[in-house]
Amino acid sequence: MERTTLRRRALVAGTATVAVGALALAGLTGVASADPAGTTAPPVSADSLSPGLLAAMERDLGLDADAARSRIANEYRAAAVAAGLEKSLGASYAGARVSGAKAALTVATTDASQTARITEAGARAEVVGHSLDRLEGVKEALDKAALRKAPKDVPVWYVDVEANRVVVNAASTAAGTAFLKAAGVDGALVTVARSAEKPRTFADLRGGDAYYMNGSGRCSIGFSVKRGTQNGFATAGHCGRVGTTTNGFNQQAQGTFQGSTFPGRDYAWVATNANWTPRPTVNGYGRGDVTVAGSTAAVVGASVCRSGSTTGWHCGTIQQLNTSVTYPEGTISGVTRTSVCAEPGDSGGSYISGNQAQGVTSGGSGNCRTGGTTYFQPLNPLLQAYGLTLVTSGTPTDPPTTPPTDPPTDPPGGTWAVGTAYAAGATVTYGGATYRCLQAHTAQPGWTPEAVPALWQRV
C-alpha cells in the first residue's frame, strides 16, 4: 500500500515550471507547491509548444509539428486517465503505457471484472497475472540487496509493465542469477536479459556552458525552485555535495549545494545568490525557450525531450519507470529509463514531456552520435525530499533581467565582507544579526549570511 501511495504522489505532485541548460536562472514567474493536492495542469495548448521542442521531436521521433502536438495532447490525457484508474483499481492495478502514433493508452489489471471500468475510462484493458505492487515488491528486494553490495556485472533492473515482469539486465546469465540469489527473490517473476550496457554519470571536467562545481566540473541546471524566499535550482546529486560552490555559465559566482543525495537516489538542489533570478523556462538552444506548465508524470511509451549544456535538445520515449541502475559510484533506484541520448556535461539538465516537467538527467550509456539509453531522476520526489516548490508560469513577475558581467558587492550592514576567508566557527554580524560559519570558504558576492544557510548559521 505504501508503494502505491508514493507512486501516486509522484505521478501528480506539484505543477511546476523550469529553467535549464547553459542559461542562468532568470525572472520569477510564480511557483507551485510540491503538495500533491490540487495539481491538475491545464490541457496542452498547440500554440504553447516551443518550436525547438517540435523540431527536436521531428528529428528524433520522425513526427511533424502537427503530429507532435497531437501526440503530446494524447499523452497528457493518458497520464490523467491512468492516474485515476490507478486509484480506482487499487491492488489489482498492474501498470499503464501508451503506444502507437496516437499514444493509445493500455491499462493492465489482475482482476478481469475490472476491464469494463478501464474501457469506460477510454483505455484498452489488459488482464495480467501480477499486480504492479507485487512486481515492485520484487524490485524493492533487489534494490535492498544492491544497497548491501552493488551487484557485479548487473547494470540495470526495472519493472516492465508491458511484459508484466521484473527485468534484470546483466552481462551474463550467471551474473543475473547470482544477483537474484543474493536478493532472495522469486525468479519466476524475473527475466534475466543479456546486456552490454555500462551506464555512467554525465558530469565532465572539461569546462563549457551551464554551471561549474568548485570552479572545475560542469553539469546542467535542471529546474528553477524556491524554498521559502530562497531561490535556486534542482539538479543531479552526483554533480556536487552539500557545500559545493557553483559558478554560472558566465563564470560569475552563483550558489551553493544545499542538499545532495547520491548514490541511492540522484538529486540535489542549489541555493543561488541575488544575482540569479529563476525563470520558468527550458533552454531551447537557439530554437526558442520552452515554458513548462506542470510536473504531471508521463506514462511508459510517452515522448520525452531533454535539454543539456553539451548536446542541447534531444527526444525519445519513456521506456520504464522506477528503474534501478548501477554506476561505478554505486546503485541508484527510482529513476526513469528513456531512449534519449546524452553525453558528459548534460547531467542535471531538464526532461520534459510536452509542457510537463519530468526530471533531471542522471546518467546512461552511448552518445548522441550513435544513440544511447539515458536515465532521469523524477522531479516530484526531488521536490518532496527537500521541501521545494517549482517556479511556474502564470504569475506576474518583475521585468526580465540578466546577470551582470561584474556583479555588485553586497550592501554593508556588519562585519561580513566579500573577499574575506572565513574559517569554520568564525562569527560575523550582518543585517543586525550574528552568524557562525559552518564551512570554511572565501566570501563571494551574493553569499550573504542570511542567503546561504549551508555556510552560515544564525546565533
Side-chain angles (χ1 to χ4, degrees), residues 208-234:
D209 286 330
Y211 73 91
Y212 300 83
M213 300 80 74
N214 287 338
S216 56
R218 171 168 62 90
C219 275
S220 298
I221 291 171
F223 298 88
S224 298
V225 300
K226 289 177 73 70
R227 185 173 182 178
T229 59
Q230 174 64 59
N231 294 332
F233 61 85

Side-chain angles (χ1 to χ4, degrees), residues 38-293:
T39 56
T40 301
V44 175
S45 167
D47 297 330
S48 69
L49 299 177
S50 157
L53 181 144
L54 295 173
M57 291 183 70
E58 180 174 8
R59 178 193 63 202
D60 297 335
L61 297 174
L63 301 173
D64 63 26
D66 288 340
R69 291 188 184 98
S70 176
R71 176 164 175 166
I72 288 169
N74 290 340
E75 289 171 351
Y76 178 81
R77 285 191 289 270
V81 171
L85 285 171
E86 179 180 0
K87 182 177 181 180
S88 63
L89 295 176
S92 74
Y93 179 75
R97 65 186 188 274
V98 295
S99 59
K102 295 185 178 180
L105 176 64
T106 298
V107 174
T109 179
T110 58
D111 184 353
S113 69
Q114 298 284 2
T115 56
R117 183 194 298 268
I118 295 171
T119 303
E120 288 169 2
R124 173 180 171 269
E126 184 175 72
V127 180
V128 296
H130 313 300
S131 70
L132 188 57
D133 272 353
R134 184 180 183 190
L135 295 176
E136 289 191 337
V138 172
K139 181 184 172 294
E140 187 176 280
L142 295 173
D143 291 346
K144 290 179 179 178
L147 289 176
R148 294 192 296 269
K149 182 179 180 180
K152 181 176 175 60
D153 296 327
V154 182
V156 179
W157 55 100
Y158 50 82
V159 174
D160 187 332
V161 295
E162 183 173 9
N164 194 228
R165 297 180 65 79
V166 175
V167 175
V168 172
N169 285 350
S172 66
T173 301
T177 301
F179 183 36
L180 299 186
K181 183 178 180 180
V185 304
D186 182 0
L189 300 178
V190 181
T191 296
V192 175
R194 292 284 297 273
S195 173
E197 187 175 351
K198 295 182 178 180
R200 68 199 190 283
T201 53
F202 284 132
D204 78 21
L205 300 175
R206 296 175 298 171
D209 286 330
Y211 73 91
Y212 300 83
M213 300 80 74
N214 287 338
S216 56
R218 171 168 62 90
C219 275
S220 298
I221 291 171
F223 298 88
S224 298
V225 300
K226 289 177 73 70
R227 185 173 182 178
T229 59
Q230 174 64 59
N231 294 332
F233 61 85
T235 189
H238 72 262
C239 290
R241 297 303 184 201
V242 173
T244 297
T245 58
T246 69
N247 289 343
F249 73 96
N250 57 2
Q251 290 290 5
Q252 297 296 327
Q254 182 188 64
T256 306
F257 276 74
Q258 303 296 301
S260 178
T261 302
F262 181 80
R265 294 291 189 267
D266 194 5
Y267 46 53
W269 83 284
V270 174
T272 56
N273 63 44
N275 295 315
W276 300 83
T277 307
R279 289 274 183 208
T281 53
V282 175
N283 186 353
Y285 287 92
R287 298 184 178 91
D289 292 348
V290 179
T291 298
V292 179

